Amino acid sequence: MAWQCPDAGEVFLTKRVLYSDADAENLTLKLYKTSVVFAESDVAATYTVADFTNYADVTLTSSQSGSTWAVPTTSAGVTSSTYGTNAVWSPGSSQTVYGLYLLGASSGTLVAVDAFAAGLPLTNGATLTVTPKWGGE
């Protein structure tokens, strides 16, 4: 899977890079439950957040530490950073999810979308664990 950034997300990330985190904010990681074909013009409202029993968004804190974002590394020309704590969802009811999306926690800006190859049926008692990673694969 690879993140795709809509125009608003590209602006958001460019500002963070160019202005030395002047606009830094936490990110919110969400699962979405509708099949959507990504478009550059997408906004947060394009995606419908999952709502299975026990669902909760995951906050990704904008900092570098052992439990948050790792210092970016580059390997074979690809730079990435991995979040130190996994995102874990344990549904209390069944629902199919189609991917993940990131929002600016305070701005609500759609930063990026990552679609699964196909709908992922989650069932009561199952566990979905995701290790958030930014950058190439």
Side-chain angles (χ1 to χ4, degrees):
M1 294 187 302
W3 291 107
Q4 298 178 71
C5 289
D7 294 338
E10 291 170 359
V11 169
F12 177 88
L13 294 170
T14 300
K15 286 168 86 174
R16 289 188 73 169
V17 170
L18 295 178
Y19 304 119
S20 187
D21 281 351
D23 291 329
E25 66 179 289
N26 292 336
L27 297 173
T28 302
L29 180 63
K30 298 176 176 261
L31 290 172
Y32 63 91
K33 67 176 188 173
T34 51
S35 181
V36 176
V37 175
F38 173 80
E40 287 286 333
S41 58
D42 285 358
V43 295
T46 305
Y47 299 86
T48 304
V49 70
D51 58 2
F52 52 79
T53 305
N54 300 333
Y55 175 82
D57 297 335
V58 175
T59 298
L60 303 178
T61 304
S62 181
S63 69
Q64 288 182 341
S65 73
S67 61
T68 62
W69 292 106
V71 174
T73 59
T74 302
S75 177
V78 176
T79 302
S80 64
S81 178
T82 302
Y83 203 75
T85 306
N86 289 335
V88 179
W89 292 276
S90 298
S93 59
S94 297
Q95 187 168 77
T96 298
V97 294
Y98 291 87
L100 307 137
Y101 63 112
L102 284 172
L103 297 179
S106 14
S107 67
T109 301
L110 179 63
V111 176
V113 176
D114 193 3
F116 300 140
L120 178 63
L122 299 178
T123 57
N124 184 2
T127 300
L128 173 60
T129 302
V130 174
T131 301
K133 180 180 179 181
W134 187 262
E137 297 195 17

